[in-house]
Amino acid sequence: KQEVTQIPAALSVPEGENLVLNCSFTDSAIYNLQWFRQDPGKGLTSLLLIQSSQREQTSGRLNASLDKSSGRSTLYIAASQPGDSATYLCAVIGDYKLSFGAGTTVTVRA
Amino acid sequence: GAVVSQHPSRVICKSGTSVKIECRSLDFQATTMFWYRQFPKKSLMLMATSNEGSKATYEQGVEKDKFLINHASLTLSTLTVTSAHPEDSSFYICSARDLPVNTEAFFGQGTRLTVV
């Protein structure tokens, strides 16, 4: 059974600092890995999708890396802003369904 | 990205009644739809997977008679919580995805269900 872990559970940084969010998974037989953002009481917004054959994916200030062999992914958010405050979830797709981590709750202080 | 619309966003119902939640893919055909439940400060728990025109596959521990799922078309899936009780109060989120299996998953806005 796939287990996904996100560390730390919570993170508070001053505005402008770079964010590093970690995700690890136990079974490397995955199709892809997806990072999401969730605001309180809302659904999930897809941020980045990394296919299993890729090593990284970039979108604006976001960069996600994937090391399938070691079962790790990292989401980097450059020059953080208060609007980046949210919970970030990573999910891996194995056979047909997503397995989620518990998320990292980020607070960016103005 | 693609849009998945979930309705209602909030619902309060009396204990013993049934509640229906709709999930629609607005600009793509969703071969597969997923229903999740999320507890406070916890990860998403997959409840069931549905494919258009066939019966839903429920995860272990999820009561299929309580959580009825219907995937009537490639753009609509519904979750009906039957004979709701206060312990069913939770945040329910749907997700939709098209083939192949490694495509991006898109999520609805979620439904906050409160059973009083």
Side-chain angles (χ1 to χ4, degrees):
Chain A
K1 180 189 170 191
Q2 179 74 268
E3 291 187 7
V4 182
T5 303
Q6 290 187 249
I7 295 173
L11 188 60
S12 178
V13 300
E15 182 177 5
E17 193 164 300
N18 296 331
L19 288 164
V20 180
L21 308 179
N22 297 300
C23 172
S24 62
F25 47 96
T26 54
D27 186 350
S28 62
I30 65 171
Y31 283 107
N32 62 34
L33 184 144
Q34 200 166 347
W35 282 94
F36 296 89
R37 168 185 172 138
Q38 185 177 31
D39 293 294
K42 304 292 184 182
L44 276 65
T45 300
S46 178
L47 297 175
L48 289 168
L49 172 72
I50 311 177
Q51 302 287 355
S52 62
S53 58
Q54 297 176 314
R55 293 195 66 84
E56 68 176 324
Q57 193 68 252
T58 298
S59 176
R61 294 185 294 113
L62 276 59
N63 174 277
S65 66
L66 174 63
D67 184 343
K68 213 174 71 160
S69 60
S70 67
R72 294 177 188 275
S73 176
T74 302
L75 177 66
Y76 302 90
I77 303 177
S80 62
Q81 305 167 358
D84 294 329
S85 298
T87 296
Y88 292 83
L89 296 157
C90 73
V92 297
I93 295 183
D95 42 14
Y96 64 95
K97 55 187 179 182
L98 278 73
S99 298
F100 281 88
T104 295
T105 298
V106 171
T107 303
V108 181
R109 308 185 303 271
Chain B
V3 177
V4 175
S5 177
Q6 188 173 338
H7 179 81
S9 59
R10 290 179 178 273
V11 59
I12 301 173
C13 71
K14 290 185 177 180
S15 187
T17 61
S18 295
V19 173
K20 181 183 284 188
I21 303 170
E22 288 189 351
C23 181
R24 293 179 183 274
S25 58
L26 298 186
D27 51 2
F28 71 104
Q29 292 186 327
T31 310
T32 307
M33 286 189 172
F34 304 85
W35 287 95
Y36 294 85
R37 183 172 179 175
Q38 188 176 32
F39 295 96
K41 299 194 183 299
K42 298 287 186 182
S43 185
L44 278 72
M45 181 192 78
L46 179 65
M47 298 174 65
T49 303
S50 71
N51 293 294
E52 185 262 341
S54 61
K55 288 185 178 180
T57 302
Y58 290 81
E59 295 297 301
Q60 192 172 10
V62 177
E63 297 177 61
K64 59 182 177 183
D65 294 330
K66 166 167 275 298
F67 299 101
L68 300 178
I69 291 171
N70 183 275
H71 194 157
S73 73
L74 283 171
T75 59
L76 174 64
S77 177
T78 59
L79 166 67
T80 301
V81 182
T82 63
S83 186
H85 292 286
E87 57 265 31
D88 299 325
S89 298
S90 193
F91 192 61
Y92 294 88
I93 310 178
C94 70
S95 171
R97 201 164 81 221
D98 199 359
L99 292 174
V101 69
N102 61 344
T103 55
E104 193 169 358
F106 298 97
F107 283 76
Q109 306 95 316
T111 297
R112 170 67 62 190
L113 170 64
T114 303
V115 184
V116 298

